[in-house]
Amino acid sequence: MSALREIEDGIWAFDLAPEGARPWLGPDLPERLRAVAAEAESDAVRAVVVLGGENEFCLGAPLASLQDQSRHATRYAAEVPGAMGAIPVPVIAAMSGHAIGGGFTLGLLGDGAVLSRESL
């Protein structure tokens, strides 16, 4: 399965919440971002737009991850900035709706962010 989908000539989207799921910073996010970086090596990809969910951009880490005494969320969250930075084309976060904690930070890790009037 591809990490990216083309939305316009040269402009590709990365969905934080595939198939209508809610957009969380889960343990699979660093791996998914590394897949984006690999696919963005293609000459066909000129920019990547990060899209959140239907009503929120990203809700941050799930509560269960934050309460986990093994600090699992801390480990995978620490990998996110490097994985975002490895994407070789401009990355724009389309921040519509809520962006909470690490979800807000994720939106700021790209090269730019576009916020809706409803963004919180």
Side-chain angles (χ1 to χ4, degrees):
M1 184 168 109
S2 178
L4 295 172
R5 64 182 170 83
E6 190 170 23
I7 55 177
E8 195 171 306
D9 187 33
I11 310 299
W12 294 70
F14 169 65
D15 293 299
L16 288 172
E19 294 134 27
R22 297 202 63 199
W24 294 99
L25 294 180
D28 65 333
L29 184 60
E31 181 179 328
R32 293 176 60 213
L33 289 171
R34 286 189 282 273
V36 168
E39 286 185 42
E41 292 287 338
S42 164
D43 289 340
V45 180
R46 295 193 329 252
V48 171
V49 178
V50 179
L51 301 173
E54 188 174 319
N55 298 310
E56 55 268 325
F57 173 70
C58 186
L59 298 170
L63 183 59
S65 292
L66 297 172
Q67 293 174 331
D68 182 357
Q69 296 299 315
S70 70
R71 300 209 181 270
H72 183 66
T74 302
R75 284 195 298 276
Y76 68 76
E79 296 177 31
V80 170
M84 280 283 282
I87 300 171
V89 296
V91 176
I92 307 300
M95 299 176 71
S96 178
H98 296 291
I100 301 169
F104 178 70
T105 302
L106 175 70
L108 299 180
L109 287 172
D111 297 294
V114 178
L115 286 75
S116 72
R117 290 179 189 236
E118 297 82 23
S119 294
L120 300 170

